[in-house]
Amino acid sequence: MSNVTVEQLADVVGAPVERLLEQLKEAGIKADDATTLISDEDKLKLLDFLRSSHGKNEASKSEGKQQITLKRKSVSELKLGGAGRSKTVNVEVRKKRTYVKRSEAASSEKDELDRLMAEKAERDEGRKQAEEDARRKAEEAVVAKAEAEAKAKAEAEAAAKEKAEAEAKAEAEKAALLTTEEASKASKAKEGHKKSKKSHDDKDKAETRYGRKELHVASGKSGQRKKKPRKRSGATAESTGKHGFEMPVVPIVHDIGVPETIKVSELAQKMSMKSAEVIKLMMKMGVMATINQVIDQDTAILVIEECGHKAHPVSDDDRENTLLELAKQELGELVARPPVVTIMGHVDHGKTSLLDYIRASKVASGEAGGITQHIGAYHVETDKGVITFLDTPGHAAFTSMRARGAQSTDIVILVVAADDGVMPQTVEAIQHSKAAGVPIIVAVNKIDKEDADPDRVKTALGNHEVIPEEWGGENIFINVSAKTGEGIDDLLDAISLQAEVMELQASATGPAKGLVVEASLDKGRGVMTTILVQQGQLNKGDILLAGQEYGRVRAMFDENGNQISEAGPSIPVLVLGLPSTPSAGDPIQVLADERTARELAMSRSEKDRNARLATQQQAKLESMFANMGKAEVNILNILLKADVQGSLEAIREALVKLAADNDEVDVNIIGSGVGGITETDITLAAASNAIVLGFNVRADAAARKAVSERGVDLHYYSVIYDLIDEVKRALTGMLAPEYKEQIIGLAEVKDAFKSPKFGLVAGSIVTEGVVKRNQPIRVLRENVVIYEGELESLRRFKDDVDEVRSGTECGIAVKNYNDVKPGDQIEVFERVQVERTL
């Protein structure tokens, strides 16, 4: 046996390395560490030392025994895991080892050590060889399996291909050999075979082994449910190791439709982005927005393009236009319709009186202040046919109402007073008519007056491109008198002639279409809406959509209050049934069902709300920057209630215009509506410190009690210009006072002397005006102001006086100033408050 290290020897004899090193040291064998080589002589020396250390007696006692057996017993615990509980089991391990007595000869011990070392090396070599053989066999098995699968797949494909080719070839040969008759017989026989087979299958399915029919249970299977196999507690789910979401390699570009207004959160959802990222991007672009803020279409398109997506604008009216187009297709054939005539002109030029004569009624006498304050719609049956008249107000505040009248009419009658001539509202009516493209017939009224001058009217209108026919123009001029009736028949003839030239037509059947002329609120009957039908026929019970309001037509009345059941084109009617007052000028449309009307009304309301919010947010931002560094604005809060929607709109516009050009005061209409003044209105006004203005409406008992308790300022009006003038005076009183300097006297300094009490005193003579005590002064030297202050003392000889008039000498002491010299001038002035107006 060759030399071995201490570590290898310890492994063979089964002793610790440290213990073996100690024994080698005790035996006199030099061994520093576990890598020290031990020769055969050292081994024998160590063996002798160990034998001698165990004693002779033990050796002699064991000479008769060739082997000795040792038994050892140990107990350990083993935990077994179960479903929901664990169990501990005690395990007893017994070990038995036999030691054989060795020969005293050195050769036997050496052989034993060699044998043990050889066995260990052989075991290691065998284990390595076995592992190598197992790995090689596993690789060969995998390769063989893959080759077998590929071979089987190729054989299967080849077999399938050969089979398909053979079948196709057989079919072709069969088709070529069979005649038409044989082919039909064969097909019939085949169908009979299928039917017999099907009936046989149905019979098998229909009966069970007990002779009963089966229901919902497959043939040959039990109706009982199968028991689910019990899951093993130690089973684990297989995992593919692959993520459920993979990030796309190529950027995804979305094609996004952008409505007119959109919330930031909805925009982020359409782009598949987080709202915070969109807000961050908008901040970088200089747009400050929150997650629920509404932005306009242009801003949204810029954000989408910045994110790399495609954007195209989408109109919210697409679906609405589609539905309205469908309703339009249901209209019947076109027939002739009556003309719609609007009477326009300046206030007090006789518009309503002219219409009053035509209708043979007294309308103007019933108007407050003798002026019309809302659009009146009437249809008149004359000898020339039916004519519908719209009477518009002439006051400056009713600009929008005149514009609506011009847009909803066929012919405009421009009433001009022969004694008054062309006035501002006359020119405005001409502009509205030309903008709407409507022909104008000029009625020169009040020709019965002594100072009437129709030619002056023609000349004045010619300056505004309204040329009479006798002057080579296109406009018809008729001289009329609403008082005597002169020229009324000529005016009706001119209207009929103009309507005949225009060839007015409309459909008399189908869903009605038109516009809202006026809307009001009656306490007994509810919302009353005046509608001008333009197309189709409006019937009682129709579903009506008017702007943002919808409802069923419960009742219809003509202008005389008579109840009717239908109305055709160019006929104005009063409709009951809408839940709230629509805005004057809103289009109306009859729809087939209530659901569609509700959806369109909600869509219009949402669109209007979003547009209003976007405008308010933009206005707030702009006003915040515009008002930086400016003085505080005095605001007059107003709560406005009116009898009809048109008057309410006109008053609101007029009040807003009052303070439009002034930076010190402003009008804030905190609330407005149609109908009487209620307790809720008074509560709102008290909370907002506002005044309540009622136009042709009154407060109820509860509202009057609230007014007295809360001290709210309430005013009633029946004429619009009275209301506007009152508000104008209130705004004027809120303006800051303005002062103007006015020179009242001038004194020239002749000499200067000192006084022990007042210091330097200027002996002066008053050259202009009067010098007053306690007034501000300026000291001028060579007509240049060198000091501005006030008089400390004014004396005439030795007496104190309040004023000194021109040409009189006096002594003037200037407060806190001692540099007055002869030749200077002392200018005395006063500050006078100037009355301000809007």
Side-chain angles (χ1 to χ4, degrees), residues 173-218:
E173 291 177 355
K174 187 176 180 181
L177 292 174
L178 288 176
T179 61
T180 306
E181 185 177 356
E182 291 174 348
S184 62
K185 289 181 180 180
S187 62
K188 289 179 180 179
K190 189 174 181 181
E191 289 178 1
H193 177 68
K194 285 184 178 179
K195 288 181 180 179
S196 61
K197 185 177 180 181
K198 183 178 181 182
S199 63
H200 181 68
D201 292 343
D202 293 342
K203 186 176 180 181
D204 291 344
K205 291 180 181 179
E207 296 183 359
T208 64
R209 54 184 173 177
Y210 302 108
R212 291 182 297 182
K213 294 183 178 180
E214 292 183 345
L215 296 176
H216 308 293
V217 181

Side-chain angles (χ1 to χ4, degrees), residues 57-232:
N57 295 330
E58 293 181 5
S60 62
K61 288 180 182 179
S62 60
E63 283 180 357
K65 296 182 180 180
Q66 298 297 325
Q67 63 182 14
I68 183 171
T69 302
L70 300 178
K71 296 180 180 179
R72 186 171 62 178
K73 181 173 65 174
S74 63
V75 180
S76 62
E77 292 183 352
L78 181 63
K79 290 186 179 180
L80 301 177
R85 58 185 180 178
S86 61
K87 185 177 180 181
T88 304
V89 179
N90 294 329
V91 180
E92 183 177 309
V93 181
R94 296 179 180 179
K95 294 182 179 180
K96 182 179 179 181
R97 181 173 292 181
T98 302
Y99 296 94
V100 181
K101 184 178 180 182
R102 300 179 183 275
S103 174
E104 293 182 359
S107 59
S108 62
E109 183 67 25
K110 181 179 178 182
D111 293 340
E112 182 66 16
L113 291 173
D114 291 341
R115 185 181 65 79
L116 292 174
M117 295 294 289
E119 286 178 359
K120 185 175 182 300
E122 186 177 354
R123 285 197 305 270
D124 294 343
E125 186 67 25
R127 186 173 64 254
K128 290 181 180 179
Q129 187 64 31
E131 291 176 354
E132 184 66 26
D133 292 342
R135 184 181 61 77
R136 187 172 61 254
K137 287 180 180 179
E139 292 178 353
E140 291 176 354
V142 171
V143 173
K145 184 178 180 182
E147 291 178 353
E149 289 178 354
K151 185 176 181 182
K153 186 176 180 180
E155 290 177 355
E157 290 178 354
K161 186 175 181 181
E162 290 178 359
K163 184 177 179 182
E165 290 177 354
E167 289 178 355
K169 187 176 180 181
E171 288 292 336
E173 291 177 355
K174 187 176 180 181
L177 292 174
L178 288 176
T179 61
T180 306
E181 185 177 356
E182 291 174 348
S184 62
K185 289 181 180 180
S187 62
K188 289 179 180 179
K190 189 174 181 181
E191 289 178 1
H193 177 68
K194 285 184 178 179
K195 288 181 180 179
S196 61
K197 185 177 180 181
K198 183 178 181 182
S199 63
H200 181 68
D201 292 343
D202 293 342
K203 186 176 180 181
D204 291 344
K205 291 180 181 179
E207 296 183 359
T208 64
R209 54 184 173 177
Y210 302 108
R212 291 182 297 182
K213 294 183 178 180
E214 292 183 345
L215 296 176
H216 308 293
V217 181
S219 177
K221 294 185 179 181
S222 172
Q224 297 179 354
R225 293 184 179 179
K226 291 184 178 180
K227 294 184 178 180
K228 295 183 179 179
R230 295 181 65 182
K231 295 183 179 179
R232 295 183 179 179

Side-chain angles (χ1 to χ4, degrees), residues 88 230 288 306 331 344 439 448 467 800:
T88 304
R230 295 181 65 182
M288 306 298 290
E306 186 70 20
L331 295 173
M344 305 177 73
D448 56 309
I467 312 299
D800 289 332

Side-chain angles (χ1 to χ4, degrees), residues 485-505:
E486 181 184 352
I488 299 297
D489 292 336
D490 296 335
L491 180 63
L492 295 178
D493 289 338
I495 294 172
S496 301
L497 178 62
Q498 186 67 48
E500 186 178 349
V501 172
M502 296 175 70
E503 297 181 355
L504 303 173
Q505 290 183 329

